[in-house]
Amino acid sequence: MSKTKILIVATAIILFLPARATCQGMPVYDNTNFVSLVKSLVESAKQTSQLIRTVEFLKQQKENLEKVNAVIKQLKAVQEIGRSNARLIAIMRNDLKNILNSPFIKPDEVARVSESFSAIVENSLDTMDFIDQILSSDYLKMSDAERAEILKQKESESKEMVSNIQVKTKRYRDIISFRKMQDKINNRQTNY
């Protein structure tokens, strides 16, 4: 409340007090008490105004903190997706090369192995393109929270891709190992 409003209300209360109020045990009007009351009301209004500004400031800071948290979640999700893609590349570079170069993988299997690994890598590249779109533009006017949710989902998908490719590589390594053992058994020399 402004000073003038407080002063008008206080004056109105004093003017409308009954004239016999002093006779009935009501306190006598005192100038110093009235001035002190007005000063107290003005000071209280200042404190209330300051409190309202503080609440607004804290509310704004909370919103800013939530935005920063959403950005951090996005950054962590993107970093994890990057790590997953690095794992995919490492698996492709090392394990797939060893699998395809193995003499125990049949020629007709080479195409199948290559296709299954290529599909996973294509999916991974599509995910990276999608993430780039999400982060570089407003992408359908998404909020940070919505963007973070999509990135978390893509992070989960990328972990699943790594898991799938690891399972496939293990399966092919087991096949190679089995065939290698089978070859040793079939081609062993007997000294009877």
Side-chain angles (χ1 to χ4, degrees):
M1 257 205 260
S2 68
K3 291 180 188 179
T4 54
K5 286 183 182 179
I6 294 171
L7 193 55
I8 291 172
V9 170
T11 307
I13 290 173
I14 292 171
L15 290 178
F16 291 114
L17 282 176
R20 291 182 288 143
T22 54
C23 301
Q24 297 174 353
M26 292 287 285
V28 179
Y29 173 72
D30 183 7
N31 247 353
T32 37
N33 282 342
F34 177 71
V35 171
S36 174
L37 174 68
V38 170
K39 283 182 182 178
S40 170
L41 289 174
V42 167
E43 190 59 36
S44 178
K46 283 181 187 177
Q47 289 174 354
T48 304
S49 170
Q50 185 63 34
L51 183 64
I52 289 172
R53 275 190 244 133
T54 302
V55 167
E56 286 298 317
F57 174 77
L58 291 174
K59 183 179 174 186
Q60 183 181 12
Q61 294 311 312
K62 180 183 175 229
E63 290 170 358
N64 289 340
L65 185 62
E66 287 170 352
K67 286 179 185 177
V68 167
N69 283 340
V71 169
I72 289 171
K73 285 179 188 173
Q74 289 176 27
L75 181 61
K76 285 181 180 177
V78 169
Q79 287 174 336
E80 191 56 43
I81 291 168
R83 284 188 203 110
S84 294
N85 281 341
R87 281 186 222 120
L88 282 174
I89 291 169
I91 290 170
M92 293 291 288
R93 188 179 307 142
N94 301 326
D95 295 339
L96 181 60
K97 183 179 175 184
N98 293 338
I99 290 169
L100 293 177
N101 289 335
S102 172
F104 299 102
I105 293 291
K106 298 173 185 166
D108 61 321
E109 291 175 324
V110 170
R112 238 178 316 150
V113 171
S114 295
E115 286 173 15
S116 76
F117 280 81
S118 292
I120 292 172
V121 170
E122 271 305 314
N123 195 2
S124 172
L125 293 174
D126 289 345
T127 298
M128 291 307 288
D129 287 342
F130 182 70
I131 289 169
D132 188 41
Q133 287 177 354
I134 286 176
L135 295 177
S136 64
S137 67
D138 285 341
Y139 199 75
L140 303 176
K141 304 290 182 190
M142 286 182 154
S143 70
D144 285 338
E146 292 168 331
R147 194 173 284 120
E149 184 64 33
I150 287 177
L151 289 173
K152 272 302 221 190
Q153 179 185 354
K154 291 297 179 182
E155 175 188 354
S156 175
E157 288 174 13
S158 73
K159 286 180 181 177
E160 190 177 317
M161 278 189 286
V162 169
S163 177
N164 286 343
I165 208 164
Q166 287 172 334
V167 167
K168 285 183 184 213
T169 20
K170 183 183 179 326
R171 188 180 75 191
Y172 286 116
R173 272 195 245 121
D174 290 345
I175 289 171
I176 290 170
S177 178
F178 176 77
R179 288 179 182 169
K180 193 183 283 186
M181 182 184 69
Q182 194 176 29
D183 184 57
K184 283 183 183 179
I185 291 172
N186 290 340
N187 294 324
R188 69 179 174 200
Q189 294 181 357
T190 55
N191 293 330
Y192 295 108

